[in-house]
Every structure is written in structure tokens, then in C-alpha cells.
Amino acid sequence: MAAVGVLMLAVGIRTARQVERDALVINVAGRQRMLVQKATAEYLAGLVMARESRDGASDATARLFERTLAVLMEGGTATFEDRSVSLQPTTSRAFRAALAETAASWEGLRRVLGTHPSDVDGNAAARRVVELRRLAERTVGLMSGAVRVYEEE
């Protein structure tokens, strides 16, 4: 009887730890959507204000997004809520595929974010805003899809 109790306790602890790890992955992956929106907003602020020098805010946000995306796929340490968290590499093919699709979309967005806001005239700026919005919405949508894939597994 005692052995059954110990076994049940061990299973309960293991399950609780897995739920905690899953919640962390979901929260970290969910934050990725916010980082896309934040990098886009920072870039647009520079475009609207026609800054002569960049403050690097969208670059820092973009680097955080990229580092965290790599950690979600390959495992490692990421910053989340002002602390370092360790994630295991994903073993889910579906989650990895969803993250890879997000990464491909991000690359297009990153190319736009990598240009200086003051490098374009009014017409080009308007086209860039439309393209930026399209790419940001697509990347956020793909990241949301990746979170759903993870939650469903």
C-alpha cells in the first residue's frame, strides 16, 4: 500500500512539473507576439518622427525575439519577465514546423525593420507601412498558431 502511495506521489510531482514547464513555454511563446508588435511600433515611431538617428529600440526588441525563437526551437536560456529561464529543445515536429514558419515570416519583417526610417520619401514610407503591417500581422498570426499547436499537444 505504501508503495502505491509513493508511486502516486511521484506521478503527481512529475505531472505538476510538466504542467509548469508547459505553462512557461506557452508564456514565452506568447510573448513573442508582443515582441513583433513592439518592434513594429518602435520602427513606425521612427518613421513618423523621421528620426535622424536610431535609438536602437526596435533592434533590441528584434534581437530579443530572435534569441527567444531560437531557444523555443533548440532549447537554452532566455530572458522572460526580467529573469533567465531554461527551456528544453522542442521534441514536437508540429511545434517545430510552426516555429520555423514563424521564423521565415519574421525574416521578411526583419528586413523591413532593418532599414532606417528616414531613408524613404513620403510615398515609399506609405508603402513600407503597408508592407510592415502585413508582415507583422502574418508573423503574429503564425506565432499564435504555434502557441495553439503547443497547447493542443
Side-chain angles (χ1 to χ4, degrees), residues 9-10 17 25 28 35 37 42 48 54 57 67 78 83-84 89-90 92 101 103 106 111 131 143 150:
L9 180 61
R17 286 185 180 151
V25 169
V28 169
L35 290 174
Q37 294 166 336
E42 290 165 347
V48 169
R54 294 176 68 173
R67 171 72 182 133
R83 63 186 172 103
S84 290
T90 184
S92 164
E101 190 174 3
W106 169 257
R111 278 191 292 280
E131 180 69 0
M143 196 66 229
Y150 190 86

Side-chain angles (χ1 to χ4, degrees), residues 2-81:
V4 171
V6 169
L7 180 61
M8 288 177 61
L9 180 61
V11 169
I13 290 171
R14 183 170 183 255
T15 300
R17 286 185 180 151
Q18 184 61 46
V19 167
E20 186 177 310
R21 282 189 299 269
D22 287 348
L24 180 60
V25 169
I26 289 167
N27 287 331
V28 169
R31 183 191 62 172
Q32 292 294 90
R33 297 175 292 207
M34 180 278 304
L35 290 174
V36 169
Q37 294 166 336
K38 185 175 187 277
T40 302
E42 290 165 347
Y43 181 86
L44 289 173
L47 189 61
V48 169
M49 296 169 56
R51 292 184 191 148
E52 289 304 315
S53 64
R54 294 176 68 173
D55 62 10
S58 65
D59 287 337
T61 302
R63 285 191 303 275
L64 180 58
F65 177 90
E66 290 161 354
R67 171 72 182 133
T68 304
L69 187 60
V71 169
L72 284 166
M73 293 178 78
E74 305 301 330
T77 303
T79 302
F80 181 70
E81 295 181 349

